[in-house]
Amino acid sequence: MTVTASSPAAAEADAILSVNNIEVIYDHVILVLKGVSLVVPRQGIVALLGANGAGKTTTLKAISNLLRTERGEVTKGSIEFEGQRVDRLSASDLVRRGCIQVMEGRHCFAHLTIEENLMTGAFTRRDGSAAIAGDLEAIYDYFPRLKQRRSSIAGFTSGGEQQMCAIGRAMMSRPKMILLDEPSMGLAPQIVDEIFEIVRDLNCKEQVSFLLAEQNTSIALRYASWGYILENGRVVLDGDARMLRDNEDVKEFYLGVSGAGRRSFRGVKHYKRRKRWLA
Amino acid sequence: MSALAEMLQGEVARAAAETLLTVENVSLTFGGVRALSDISFDIRKGEIRAIIGPNGAGKTSMLNCINGFYHPRSGRITFKGKTRQRMRPYEAASQGIARTFQNVALFKGMTTLDNILTGRTLKMNRNFFWQLLRHGPAMREEIEHRIYCEDIIDFLEIEHIRKTPVGKLPYGLQKRVELGRALAMQPDLLLLDEPMAGMNLEEKEDMCRFILDVNRHFRTTIALIEHDMGVVMDISDRVVVLEYGHKIADGTPDEVKADQRVIDAYLGVSH
Amino acid sequence: QAAAQDQIYVPLLTYRTGPFAGSGIPIADGMRDYLEMLNQRDGGIGGVKIAIEECETGYDTKKGVECYEATKSKNPVVVNPYSTGITLQLIPRASVDKIPILSMAYGLSASADGNTFPWIFNPPVTYWDGASVMVGYMAQQLGGFDKLKGKKLGLIHLDAPYGKEPIPLLQDLSKRYGFELKLYPVPAADMQNQSGIWLGIRRDRPDFIYNQGFGAMNPTAVKEALRNNFPIDKLVGVWWAGGDDDARAGGAEAKGYKSLNFHQAGTNFPVIQDILKNVADKNLSKVDNRNRIGENLYNRGVYNSMLIAEAVRTAQKLTGKKVVNGEDVRRGLENLNISEQRLKELGMEGFAAPVQVSCSDHNGHNKVFMAEWDGSKYVKASDWMAPLKDEVRPLIDSAAKEYAAGNSGWPKRTEACDKAT
Amino acid sequence: MFYREAGQFKTTYASDMAVLPILQDRIGLAVILLIGFVGIPLLGGNFFLQTVMIPFLVFSLAAIGLNILTGYTGLLSLGSGAFMGVGAYACYKLTTIYPGVNIVIWIVASGFFAAAIGVVFGLPSLRIKGFYLIVATLAAQFFLQWSFVRIPWLYNYNASGAIEVPQRLFAGIPLTGANATPVTRYLVLLGIVTFLTWIASNLVHGRIGRSWMAVRDMDIAAELMGIRLLPAKLLAFAVSSFYCGVAGACMMFLWYGGGEANDAFNINQSFTILFMVIIGGLGSLIGSFLGAAFISILPTALKFGVPALGIAIPGTVAEHATYILLGALIIFFLIVEPHGLARLWQIGKQKLRMWPFPY
Amino acid sequence: MDLIYSIFVDPFLQMAGAPDLLVQTLWEGFVGGILYALIALGFVLIFKASGVFNFAQGIMVVFAALTLVGLYEKGVPAFLALALTIGVMFLIAAAVERVVLRPLVNQPDIILFMATFGLTYLLIGLGEAIFGGNPKVMIAEQLYLPKGAVDIKMLGGVVTLQKIDIAAAVIALAMIACLSVFFQYTRIGRALRAVADSHKAALSVGISLNQIWVIVWFLAGVVALITGIMWGARSDVSFALQVVALKALPVLVLGGFTSIPGAVVGGLIIGIGEKIGEFYWGPLVGGATESWLAYCIALVFLMFRPQGLFGERIIERI
Ligand SMILES: Nc1ncnc2c1ncn2[C@@H]1O[C@H](COP(=O)(O)OP(=O)(O)OP(=O)(O)O)[C@@H](O)[C@H]1O
Ligand SMILES: Nc1ncnc2c1ncn2[C@@H]1O[C@H](COP(=O)(O)OP(=O)(O)OP(=O)(O)O)[C@@H](O)[C@H]1O
Ligand SMILES: [Mg+2]
Ligand SMILES: [Mg+2]
């Protein structure tokens, strides 16, 4: 059963990003995405949810054109950013156009210092060093921890610090759209909240759109306006975030609230098996 | 049902009397950075001990000290009654400490099964010449361990990826394989570094179940780093809280949850 | 069709590529052009066309042996390996395959012993001969063998078996005549990077230096000698260190650089004129520039092919057959006797010294001379000098014995010797 | 469709852990062995055996050796040429000192000498990693090569400075020396290669192979799993050098039949073997064979095969074309499949499995 | 006893006895080191910018020098030939980027290393096909490189400095200074280091590898040309020159793969070390030690600093 409520017509008209029925194959033989379509409205925050291996990361990489570096390719469908086909561009072209990805698993430049890492984010910018320095300060304000560690070699910083660095680095490019892959991973709860606050901030103040692949469903749905649930390379459910939050199945399996409130992790039953939307 | 649970609890409590590992006054610095200063705590046999704290607090560094990857500048670590200053990581492994890593550190070119079998290395002792033949005793040994690993694979429900190279697995499964590899070592002390990062609720629940089962059935002592407070508070017996390399709290989940310093430093208001 | 019944198949293992191509190209051109000239001018040897086939070795032993294997089935009358490494490989095979090996003034010195090596020929001289001439030359310059006492001879050599070859002989001679021998080995990887070696030479100040080098090592040595103010006329190369390119790198200042030689450079010989007329003019030569005909190494190729042709001719005479095979040419080589008279007929008067090879002596230890670089070409700068055969021969005999002993199962010579003709 | 495991159930772990669990693969291997031991000696001429098959087998052996070090253990080495040299000289010394012992025994035994030397030069590998390790192995390469010239005892003080291979019999037939026919040499070599490949396959599929791969993929984690790095790396060096050493001995005694080892075992040899391993596929035994075939046979095939087709090209042009073509093919194959021919082979099998569906 | 004397005492007595020779040896070592550094520089440039260990640098040196001399022999005036050669190097850079690097982005180092070997084969084949295998004489004079030597009387002897060596040192040092500044203090420099760290991450922040690679390979090509001129002037221009490029390996490793100053310091240590070693200790073991001494020197340094003198720290974290 597909609960797909058709996306709001307004968003359709002013989509910053639209992915139309793409198929992705790795290594010429492994079919991972089997027709995924999604739309991110301008100035929207869209969450991409799904279990491990559903294909969230793959979708984001397909959009940012990083697939090719992993011997994957988009074999069908099209991807449009601001109304133009981008699936034949290079990753750096896309960044220049204002769409940047924060990769899952941090990927800082290990041998560069934190500050140099952040500065590489500004590589495509042409608006002068004063503006860049200003943004750098802004990022240090968001992440004071980074300021403390600014001259440390990134490879030696802690996992969470690297995660902040990766997010900050992407923000340095002043994008119109950020593809965030698991931003909350490895961050302390406080920081997670802060990050999502930043997301909201950027979204409101600077009109940055977001596509979030996130495992922390409850927080993602709290901040997003629209959500897609991916399973096995297909979109199985999508809808308004509030609607998804109220969906019983989503509640049960993604939010962990059953009738009696939050479940305890200690009491998890062995035989429990999640209902799959697809066989 | 609850009787059984109580019985289990009681057993845990009895075992808890014994300490497995004590950390005394451990300090660690990198250049100018004080990663750990004067940390002391202990881990009792059979318990689940959580280590929490903000990013960069020194949690991972603490685990690294325990299994010999970092050498503390001062302080003592006593494991199973033996105190040591410096030791090589493989010595820690051979004494029965296994761990998983924050940044998945699987052997990317190998299959799931091979990764888990690697965990059995210390338990395999047919010598080089039998290995050359891979028949007779060597093969028997190999099969014996294979059976053990198959049990783990079964337990972790990763049968379907048994022969897939792990490099291409999604992140969550990689974490699970990593747990399997650590379990294969049949450790006395299992160190888990953010085992649930990057998982959704359901997968976290699965993971909790595995951890609890391991703890209950194999009596494996577990030290756990995790940022999901729900998980930590639910499954751990005692919690240490670190901040900027200092210990700021130590106690049962409920005690810690109520500690004002912990709330300020780490939990924030929403929890 | 190369091995057709009415042809004499002469494969040429050459190297026009690889790091030693600089020496390989002129030699290959010379060898080829002389045989081609015979085909054009005389219709071959004794009326039988020569089927010439080049096989590229790149001076690489593996490829060389491949070439040998590939040509073997086409009944070659003689094989010229053109690399010591390849020669060493082919020596044991020759007697089995019944193909004579002509390694002209290179290869295994011991193979001069015809009793042990009936199938291998290395005329006209061995490296030991060359080194002995060097000592003789030094004595001559100083005014007699008795003046050698207390002098220093440096040997700069490639640090490989080829380069080390003269050492035992020079050691013997240095003991005998009381001069000091200094060794300067140049590692193959550092052929073009000799400044360290030449510092040592500066320190030791040898009176003469003998250069047993090859390829890129030679021009570098000449340049380094100049850089280090070593008197260039005291630097003498073995014949393989006498390429035009070797000296040319030093420019005009290299004037006076010497190299041993057993044939002349230049085009002033009827034989070279014939090549120009019958080959180059008909555009049958592969040389990229006509001026290179007559260069030293080109003429070496010509000389080499002359030996081949004469051996074939001798074989035809001995057997009465027109189309000869490997065994016949082996006999031809054993009876090779190129006299002054014959040289004249060949258009090589003054080009080379007479050569004689015998059943027991596959080398002949023939005369050589000193060629000198005059700034643009090599000229003859001494009389023909005979090697110190008495010093060389015992060394060859013992080396041959050792070789046979080391290769247990080395066959005793079964091939009969022809009566001297 | 034709290649799939469907219907082949494994009821024991032993059968699941077999190196070739699929029936079709086992049949394929049997066919290859049959062709190798019977077909080729019967049908291949001497030229084919001598210039194609024998070099191919020798290089395969060396490539297996290097693959164990570089492909399985992740230690980059440019010293394999010299380790082959050690094997060749060891075999030469052994058979000249003890001429009575069967040469095949000495060929295999010479591997142990190479292994010992390999261990010595492997010692720095504990501290030095990645491309930096090249230096340690290059030191081995150049130092050993230098010793081959500089220590006359190694070549029995021969005037030629070369290894002079004496005639040795095997079951009454000459196996080395001038009188040995290519067929005998080929068959014995094939026997050695088959045996050693079987051993290598046992090693890499067992505990030791796993610990090597663990060291390769993440040495820190491997150590934390209880694998001691130094012994594991040194063992890899030893086994790898053993294979290279045997390959070197085979090269001198069964292929070259003597020669200047200084020249034969130079740095280019080391490079060649490394390329075989990379082109073939790091960490794959089949890859070692495929790589050896590609790099050792292709130039020969181009050189002698093209003229045989009736296209007359002068030797030099052919040589240049060979270089250009070989270079282009290397790049081409890397682009098509960076993980080497072995991976291409696997993907091919995968496609066969799916056939007639694309994926 | 004798051995100890000849190892530990005699060489130093020799040094003291003939200080002029010692100075000369040091100078030769210095010059040799500078020349090594030039080759190593080409490697470093490419390694720093793409993490590619460019085996083809040696053949690029030969190819550049051959193009220069070959054009001159065809009658092109020397400086025009120089300009044309630079153009050719640019074309090579562009072609390499397009054909080799772009499809291989984000592949393991060793694969890229292997690809550069394919490139080496290609260039050898092309070079020999175009220019022939004959060695050629470098047109040093036509390029107004100085000739001759300066003799300096000192320490009771004469130390000879070749003018071309002095020129080589000056040119090399100037070039190295420029490149260091470029890498350390410019935006592009930082981007290059990022690329070397991780292709994928660099792509994700929008660094366009394509342009950068062309720039860097072109720079390396120019360095190769200068190297070719300098080495060619020392001996001649032939394919054998390629072998010398191997010597850059210990230099690189010693200095650290990613460091431009490292290439110079490494070059000097190796250059001077091997000359002194060969000159004073070489005769004890029969000479020709230069073939391996460099590697052993580098090995000794590495045992203490596994990342080389100036290399980036090796990051071991879990
Ligand atoms: N490079 C690759 N080659 C082959 N298969 C791949 C590759 N990368 C990913 N896959 C496969 O694609 C599928 C989707 O993976 P993806 O990483 O997109 O999942 P995900 O939804 O991001 O999961 P997670 O939440 O664990 O990050 C998985 O089954 C994975 O095995
Ligand atoms: N090898 C090292 N060299 C230099 N600094 C280090 C090293 N290892 C850790 N640090 C520093 O020590 C501090 C503690 O790091 P650690 O990784 O232990 O943090 P953590 O508590 O695990 O944080 P997170 O939750 O973000 O993973 C960090 O600031 C880090 O930069
Ligand atoms: Mg993902
Ligand atoms: Mg951590």
Side-chain angles (χ1 to χ4, degrees), chain C residues 2-12 35 45 48-52 68 71-80 94 97-102 119 121 305 307-313 315-316 321-333:
Chain C
Q5 282 306 299
D6 50 350
Q7 287 187 324
I8 293 170
Y9 175 56
V10 181
L12 302 176
L35 295 177
I45 307 170
V48 186
K49 265 237 183 289
I50 313 162
I52 313 160
Y68 172 79
T71 52
K72 192 167 87 175
S73 56
K74 301 184 199 165
N75 290 321
V77 294
V78 61
V79 167
N80 305 263
D97 297 335
K98 307 250 173 272
I99 299 169
I101 305 290
L102 173 59
W119 290 89
F121 298 84
S305 280
L307 290 182
I308 299 173
E310 287 311 291
V312 172
R313 206 184 305 276
Q316 288 172 331
K321 292 195 282 186
K322 284 276 166 228
V323 181
V324 288
N325 62 18
E327 167 64 34
D328 302 332
V329 173
R330 190 194 65 73
R331 284 172 61 198
L333 277 164

Side-chain angles (χ1 to χ4, degrees), chain E residues 265-284:
Chain E
V265 176
L268 292 183
I269 291 176
I270 297 271
I272 294 175
E274 77 176 10
K275 291 288 179 299
I276 296 271
E278 169 71 21
F279 190 67
Y280 292 104
W281 282 274
L284 293 178

Side-chain angles (χ1 to χ4, degrees), chain A residues 106 145 149 152-162 164 186-188, chain B residues 28-31 33-36 52-64 69-70 102 193-194 225 227 242 245 266, chain E residues 313 315-318:
Chain A
R106 307 176 185 107
R145 182 79 193 157
R149 310 299 318 262
S152 309
I153 303 278
F156 287 123
T157 56
S158 84
E161 287 160 352
Q162 290 183 25
M164 298 178 212
L187 291 179
Chain B
L28 177 72
T29 54
F30 298 104
V33 183
R34 277 199 87 114
L36 296 173
I52 61 172
N55 294 118
K59 305 179 294 295
T60 303
S61 303
M62 190 65 242
L63 291 200
N64 284 343
F69 182 60
Y70 285 168
Q102 183 170 9
D193 198 345
E194 303 197 11
I225 298 177
H227 284 302
L242 302 183
Y266 183 57
Chain E
R313 277 176 75 180
I315 294 178
E316 291 200 324
R317 283 275 334 246
I318 37 175

Side-chain angles (χ1 to χ4, degrees), chain C residues 203-224:
Chain C
R203 167 182 54 190
D204 300 340
R205 298 177 200 284
D207 297 284
F208 284 86
I209 295 184
Y210 186 53
N211 172 20
Q212 180 102 358
F214 193 46
M217 177 181 157
N218 296 328
T220 312
V222 172
K223 283 203 153 185
E224 285 288 346

Side-chain angles (χ1 to χ4, degrees), chain A residues 26 30 32 52-58 104 182 215, chain B residues 168 170-172:
Chain A
Y26 282 111
I30 306 167
V32 174
N52 287 143
K56 304 180 293 295
T57 302
T58 307
E104 168 184 58
E182 313 246 351
Q215 295 282 21
Chain B
K168 296 193 166 159
Y171 191 82

Side-chain angles (χ1 to χ4, degrees), chain C residues 16-17 56 61-63 66-67 69-70 84 88-89 92-93 96 108 159-161 164 402-403 406-408, chain D residues 47 50 149-150 155 160 162 164-168 178-179 255-256 258 260 262-263 300 303-304 316 319-320:
Chain C
R16 292 168 180 274
T17 64
E56 175 64 38
T61 308
K62 174 176 177 274
K63 292 185 195 162
E66 270 174 23
C67 278
E69 295 289 334
T84 300
L88 290 174
Q89 295 274 301
R93 298 174 197 217
V96 179
L108 185 68
D159 199 23
K164 290 172 64 183
E402 253 170 45
Y403 185 97
N407 287 264
S408 59
Chain D
F47 176 72
Q50 175 68 29
V149 180
R150 200 95 347 226
Y155 47 87
S160 64
E164 292 164 355
V165 169
Q167 173 164 315
R168 294 284 183 265
N179 292 315
W255 169 17
Y256 269 38
E260 274 184 51
N262 168 55
D263 175 59
T300 314
K303 184 165 159 192
F304 297 105
T316 23
E319 192 70 15
H320 299 151

Side-chain angles (χ1 to χ4, degrees), chain D residues 26 30 40 42 44 57 97-98 115 124 132 160 166-167 194 233 246 266-267 286 298 331 333 336 353:
Chain D
R26 285 197 295 274
I40 291 181
L42 283 181
L57 288 177
I97 296 175
Y98 305 101
Y132 289 90
S160 64
Q167 173 164 315
T194 312
K233 288 181 178 178
V246 176
N266 61 12
I267 179 80
I286 298 182
L298 188 70
I331 295 174
F333 272 113
V336 171
R353 241 175 232 156

